[in-house]
Amino acid sequence: MTGTGHSKLNVVYLHGLCSSWMRQDKLSHVELFRQDQARVDYIHHRASNATTKLNPIGKSLFARVPAIIDYDINRYAFIVNIGLGNPTKFFSLIVDTGSDLSWTQCVPCVNCYDQKNPFYDQTQSSNFTTIPCNSNYCTQLEYFGCSSTLTCLFEERYMDNSIVNGSLITDTLHISNDIIYNFVFGCGHDNTGFFTHEDGLLGLGRGPHSIISQAPQAYNKIFSYCLPSGPDEIGYLELGNSALGVKYTPMLTDPDFPYLYFVNLTAILIGGEKISLPPTIFSGPRTMLDSGTAFSHIPPTAYYALRSIFRKEMSNYPMAPPLYNLDTCYDFTNYSQVVVPEISLIYDGEVTTNLAFTGIIFVFTKSQGCLAFAENEDDNEFIIIGNMQHRTFNVVYDVGNLQIGFGANGCS
């Protein structure tokens, strides 16, 4: 790998004022809420069937990368602009902490959706190589197979039921001012599901295929980001560097899901007071940080307690109809200013995140603003801290030292 040592670039929303995609058609909000719930259901389903054997298919340098964040309900996607191949072609990839394998759509295309840039064409790159189906990179995939020429085939199945099929290959990755040679990624030829205009995905999970694992010396197994609070604000994604002013909580590992990021949520505060809950509600490595889920999903016991206090504190505002699975909504039509009770999440080590307004209330319209939390089906399911509750914080994933850091005022 080669690089300049550090480069710093901005993050904006995909449909923000700076984006040419702002006026493109979007899925209905009902469909996008459904997709977000489908991702959560997939996580919980996988957790409840963790011992099931999965079958193969057919059998320190710093890089601060430009990213665009989609403000649709389920598509709060960090879009990073990267380059592939020699000569370099540029692509906009979703960044997902819940995925390892990076991929982009490729020619020849059996089934592809419309995307922003032309499809990747491996025949146009002098650095492209195939990967044998008996290689570790191939057999470490969850779903893999062999082509007629004994090269690796892959299938990625995502939490919202989207599926990508294709070939596992290597090429040169250009990310900001850094160059990673022989970068392993998927070349998707048959892609179905809830994709919009992104060119693919950049995996930031903990598994062997993620960019953090493929360049451990370059990036020291660390990355950080700040998600902006709205479509006109700016955030960042940074590989190879932490952030100032963060406080760390242990990064936990669930043996059934070693590629995901877990922490220990110990308490929820509302209005500065700790919600009274049974001590077992937050026990074990059951709290997952997931940039691909929009709303946090917490145990019913915790949710009902939070909702009850929240409704009492918000009793001066008229209630509005529920918004899909958000059942505590308000009509702010006649209010020029809205005051909500402060909500804080406490992690092991007394790491406190005082949520921004956008982490407390999701404003769909002025007549429908809802508590930005949802309940799980039962108290034993994974707690999922979605990206609504990451916003404006510096969030540092220090995989090498097994810790995750949170710091206030990372971005607007």
Side-chain angles (χ1 to χ4, degrees):
M1 172 176 169
T2 64
T4 60
H6 186 266
S7 65
K8 194 176 193 179
L9 296 165
N10 292 336
V11 174
V12 297
Y13 275 106
L14 176 60
H15 294 290
L17 295 179
C18 299
S19 172
S20 62
W21 296 2
M22 182 181 179
R23 293 176 296 275
Q24 292 186 359
D25 291 337
K26 301 184 228 179
L27 297 173
S28 74
H29 281 81
V30 171
E31 178 65 13
L32 291 162
F33 269 107
R34 193 194 68 78
Q35 291 176 24
D36 195 60
Q37 186 61 49
R39 182 180 178 99
V40 172
D41 291 344
Y42 181 88
I43 294 171
H44 291 153
H45 175 75
R46 288 288 304 276
S48 65
N49 295 278
T51 58
T52 303
K53 177 72 174 176
L54 297 172
N55 295 319
I57 59 169
K59 126 76 225 208
S60 156
L61 293 175
F62 306 142
R64 205 160 204 175
V65 293
I68 303 171
I69 298 180
D70 184 331
Y71 197 46
D72 285 338
I73 300 302
N74 191 47
R75 294 298 182 187
Y76 297 111
F78 314 89
I79 307 295
V80 293
N81 297 311
I82 59 93
L84 287 171
N86 183 27
T88 306
K89 305 293 183 183
F90 291 95
F91 302 91
S92 298
L93 306 184
I94 289 177
V95 173
D96 187 4
T97 59
S99 300
D100 284 327
L101 183 66
S102 302
W103 59 267
T104 189
Q105 296 196 109
C106 302
V107 295
C109 186
V110 176
N111 186 24
C112 289
Y113 57 87
D114 292 336
Q115 66 177 45
K116 178 183 177 183
N117 297 299
F119 297 148
Y120 169 86
D121 186 347
Q122 60 197 36
T123 66
Q124 301 301 307
S125 174
S126 61
N127 292 348
F128 147 78
T129 59
T130 58
I131 294 178
C133 58
N134 62 353
S135 71
N136 286 337
Y137 273 123
C138 189
T139 58
Q140 287 172 336
L141 290 168
E142 194 168 28
Y143 303 97
F144 66 92
C146 281
S147 71
S148 58
T149 57
L150 302 182
T151 59
C152 185
L153 302 176
F154 80 95
E155 180 174 278
E156 284 289 286
R157 304 178 187 180
Y158 290 101
M159 299 173 186
D160 61 0
N161 300 316
S162 301
I163 297 177
V164 178
N165 289 278
S167 303
L168 194 69
I169 65 173
T170 74
D171 208 335
T172 302
L173 171 67
H174 300 258
I175 186 162
S176 186
N177 295 315
D178 295 337
I179 301 174
I180 300 175
Y181 298 101
N182 301 313
F183 180 70
V184 177
F185 65 99
C187 199
H189 303 296
D190 187 359
N191 318 306
T192 58
F194 302 111
F195 302 110
T196 51
H197 300 284
E198 65 270 18
D199 300 340
L201 180 144
L202 185 69
L204 279 174
R206 298 167 67 181
H209 300 93
S210 79
I211 185 173
I212 298 301
S213 298
Q214 289 195 51
Q217 282 113 11
Y219 294 134
N220 296 314
K221 292 189 175 181
I222 190 170
F223 67 94
S224 58
Y225 60 64
C226 180
L227 309 189
S229 60
D232 304 327
E233 307 297 337
I234 296 174
Y236 72 85
L237 168 72
E238 187 162 7
L239 305 178
N241 201 16
S242 62
L244 297 175
V246 299
K247 191 173 179 182
Y248 288 95
T249 188
M251 178 187 294
L252 305 180
T253 301
D254 186 300
D256 293 318
F257 300 93
Y259 56 92
L260 298 177
Y261 296 101
F262 290 91
V263 293
N264 185 21
L265 179 69
T266 60
I268 300 175
L269 273 61
I270 180 167
E273 298 293 325
K274 185 180 293 187
I275 296 175
S276 179
L277 294 169
T280 56
I281 286 294
F282 299 136
S283 62
R286 308 293 291 178
T287 300
M288 171 188 169
L289 295 184
D290 183 29
S291 68
T293 300
F295 303 99
S296 288
H297 288 68
I298 61 177
T301 298
Y303 178 74
Y304 297 149
L306 173 67
R307 182 182 67 180
S308 176
I309 299 171
F310 188 83
R311 286 181 174 179
K312 288 179 183 176
E313 295 289 332
M314 296 289 287
S315 60
N316 289 335
Y317 300 100
M319 293 198 75
L323 184 61
Y324 197 68
N325 59 343
L326 304 183
D327 65 4
T328 299
C329 302
Y330 297 89
D331 183 350
F332 300 129
T333 302
N334 296 320
Y335 298 87
S336 59
Q337 216 172 28
V338 175
V339 178
V340 300
E342 182 179 83
I343 295 178
S344 304
L345 304 180
I346 313 297
Y347 301 100
D348 196 14
E350 294 301 312
V351 176
T352 302
T353 57
N354 299 317
L355 301 181
F357 180 86
T358 52
I360 299 172
I361 290 282
F362 172 70
V363 181
F364 178 55
T365 64
K366 197 167 183 181
S367 62
Q368 200 172 25
C370 306
L371 177 63
F373 286 80
E375 63 175 296
N376 284 336
E377 288 189 4
D378 64 62
D379 285 345
N380 296 317
E381 291 181 325
F382 279 163
I383 299 167
I384 301 172
I385 305 300
N387 63 52
M388 288 274 188
Q389 285 71 37
H390 301 196
R391 296 188 181 196
T392 73
F393 292 101
N394 287 317
V395 185
V396 180
Y397 295 75
D398 186 349
V399 180
N401 293 308
L402 294 177
Q403 57 184 3
I404 293 179
F406 297 91
N409 304 315
C411 56
S412 299

